[in-house]
Amino acid sequence: MTRLNLNKILLWALFGLCVIWLVIPFTIAILWSLVDPSQPWTPDHLLPPSMSFYRWGYLWAHSSLKIAMFNSYMLAPSVAIVTLTLAMPTAYALGRINFPGKEVVKLLVLLPLVVPGFVTAIFFTAILFQLGLNAWRFGAILFAHSILFLPYAIRIMSVSFETVRQDHIDAARDLGASTFERWKVAYIPALKPGIMATLLIVFIYSIEEFAIAFIVGSPNFTTIPTLLFTNLGANFIRPNAAVISLILVVPNVILMLFLERLLRSANPALSSGKG
Amino acid sequence: MTWRSWLKLGLLLAPGLGLILVFIGSVVYIAIAQSFGLFSLSGESEFSLEYWSRMFERLTYNRAIGYSLYVGFASAFLAVLFAYPLAVWLRRPFPGSLTISAVLKAPLLVHGLVAAFLYVNIISYHGLVNQIMQGLGIWDGPHRLQNDSRAIGVLILQTWKNMPFALLLLVGSVSAISDDVLDAAADLGAGPFARFRRVIAPLSVSATQAALVIVFVGALADFSFQVIAGPVNKQSLSQLMVFFKGYGRWHDAAVVAVTLMGLGIAGSALLALVSRFILRGGRLS
Amino acid sequence: MKAVSVKNASMHFGDFTAVQDVSFDVGEGEFITLLGPSGCGKTTLLKMISGFLQPSSGIIEIGGKDVTHVPPERRDTAMCFQSYALFPHLSVADNLQFGLKQKRLLTAERKQRLQDVATKLDLTAQLDKLPNQLSGGQQQRVALGRALTMRPSVVLFDEPLSNLDAKLRDSVRMEIRKIQRDYNLAAIYVTHDQGEALAMSDRILIMNNGRIEQAGTPHEIYGTPNTSFVADFIGDANILDAEVIGEEGAGRWRLGTQIGELIAASAAPPVAKTLKVCWRPEKAQFGPGTENTITADITHRAFQGNYTDLFVMIASAPQRVQWRDNAVGLADSLTMHIRPEDIIFLEAIA
């Protein structure tokens, strides 16, 4: 058997796997979200006997979905901007200054990714209690998220800073550009894709983050993931959980695909990874 | 470097690295301190080993350690086991390979809770798996698959979610091996398996180590998969920690947290050593 | 017995033909060079012999056995890669023994071959080092040694010297040739460097567009190129369009060309009435001769150290001439002649 044929067989096997892997699970979730309460979806039916958008409307009107979405979509952009702002100086140092111990700094920056999320969440809450700040939930989550996602922002931005070409900066200086002009002409064009990518990735991670939002936010501050968690546990109603799952996953997948293209154009070396 | 440039560097690093160190440092410090009875939120703050000694006697704690280690190691092993052959296959682009890696990477984009929900749907009492098995006449009636006692559900979810990540790391390292080196091995008489064992495996040790460690640390600290799809009669360390915290037992939660971090470090070191030993063909140097 | 026989081998990649109907043999102990510009199919041909590519049609024999469908790991060939392709994680000793371990040779035999090759290539002091601790020349020798320990029917070289600097290249060139003779190995050597090919080979196969354009010893190839491609690729040549006016005695012809009427002497007759002919710039004889005396206007001169390149105009046709005597100043024009036997018949003009 030639390698070409082998690849063809493997391709079909993978196509099958893909169906099991992605298509079936999501189709079932979509179908469940469309089940009309007038007729339950019993195992003797291949498709729900009666389909409508009733669940979507009901959850929107009668649950904390609206609040959760508001919280999530307020939180995420704020986190993205704060994280980017905090990351810039360190990224600049890592991308454009040579100093002893740079590799150590690069490793230390990864610390938030190493400590388990629930440990961070619980003992951050402990600190908040010690400081008497435990009522300030939005701010606390914003603060924690901003630091938690700094590693991604610093990594992307320091690579961006590395791609700024010294000869562009030098040429601008040679032609008499002021500091501000120099940034405008040499830095910003090279940094732009990195900035977009950072904002997007932090936005997505903040929307998805569960541990901090769950522990710091409980009991009365809900985000989309914590709402989903409650609906998967004590209040498990399958169609409701399906609706919330889709609300959580669909926008993020679209944003992710967008991000992938952005990263590829910004820096081929980063395109393969999420972070 | 002059003191001025050091000062400038310090100021640049402060908002990024500085905040990270302060934040994570104080979180870890509080966890360790509370595990020894300090920083009490309710009663006396006093150094004591009592929380540790009492915790060691608890059956739930000891079982949670065993269970979390099992989930951590098994997930790391399975994720790398599935990712390795795929990485070798996808080493060089061929028609369709981009689509394949996109499909394989898709779970990275799906939230863990959503993944758990999708999985629970399929294996539910009247779900797809039960229907198919009954339809094929293999099972007489529906089986209860959710929250199975051997945590197979958790392992499936961990593998589904983490395999793409391991794949990403491994593809990077395997495709960095030049075609010439592999051709040279073949030319010198090494068949496909010998090429894998003698060339590919030793040259991708660090990526394998990274993949094993990252998947292990994540799965060891798993909370959501365990709560939704895990066995009812077992608790993971994170679950136990959240449980203690929920009852305001901060010191007990801190003991579990420190255990979790300690096991994470020890387990990672063990995995890194063992994988290096195996992939290098029984040599450590 | 032939070490390697290639019979009517072709290789197509989709619409593109990389190698077309190539046949040749390599005798035992013979050193053959495949020479040609990049993209001429020489590396493809080498990969077909080593087994990394399956020919679209044709047969490859090694040691008299048909190996066309045998995978590379079971072919009795050993290859020296352009990039050296040393295993970065293995010591020099382990690199040298890699193939022997695959063959499951006895330890004693393995050790003996390792010592033998290491001594011959002066690598004894480097055996415990990793490849990245070696200089370029040493890495090259390890790559060569790794192939030699296998004692293969044929060693294949894929431009092995292109990563070395010019000085080192000359010495490694001689070393390769010496070792190849010592072991009496058949060798196929791919290069685009004509100097390397002329200096090393028993026989040169000139390739162009996937075909063998001409095969022969270095002297044959340089002295009597068959086509203007070969004449131009090996050395410098002034190529002219010529018309055969008539035969002037045995083996002598009168030609009409852009630079005037010329007398050519050749063992082989011209292939057609109108054809390409050439002469080498270093064959110009200064001063008038009995035949083919020419006056040339000098348009440009480039000093090359041991000679001067003259760009001249002969009856409005630009030609090149090598002037060996630097000491003599030159006027704006010079008189020279070309001996009839220095004019070479090439291919017909269609």
Side-chain angles (χ1 to χ4, degrees), chain B residues 17-42:
Chain B
L17 180 68
L19 262 181
I20 287 175
L21 291 181
V22 170
F23 181 78
I24 297 296
S26 35
V27 161
V28 173
Y29 174 71
I30 288 276
I32 295 173
Q34 283 197 331
S35 78
F36 291 109
L38 303 169
F39 288 104
S40 179
L41 291 166
S42 43

Side-chain angles (χ1 to χ4, degrees), chain B residues 78-152:
Chain B
L78 288 173
V80 170
L81 184 74
F82 284 107
Y84 231 131
L86 289 168
V88 173
W89 184 41
L90 295 171
R91 199 177 74 86
R92 286 286 171 262
F94 54 87
S97 65
L98 268 182
T99 323
I100 292 170
S101 51
V103 169
L104 289 174
K105 276 196 278 174
L108 284 174
L109 314 183
V110 180
H111 196 278
L113 288 171
V114 177
F117 170 68
L118 297 177
Y119 171 73
V120 164
N121 269 342
I122 287 176
I123 56 147
S124 63
Y125 199 66
H126 290 301
L128 192 74
V129 174
N130 266 317
Q131 297 291 332
I132 289 177
M133 293 308 256
Q134 287 174 72
L136 293 175
I138 298 174
W139 290 347
D140 294 336
H143 285 221
R144 191 184 153 72
L145 301 170
Q146 204 176 330
N147 308 106
D148 65 289
S149 61
R150 265 168 298 175
I152 291 169

Side-chain angles (χ1 to χ4, degrees), chain B residues 6-23:
Chain B
W6 279 110
L7 183 71
K8 183 181 157 201
L9 186 67
L11 287 176
L12 284 172
L13 292 181
L17 180 68
L19 262 181
I20 287 175
L21 291 181
V22 170
F23 181 78

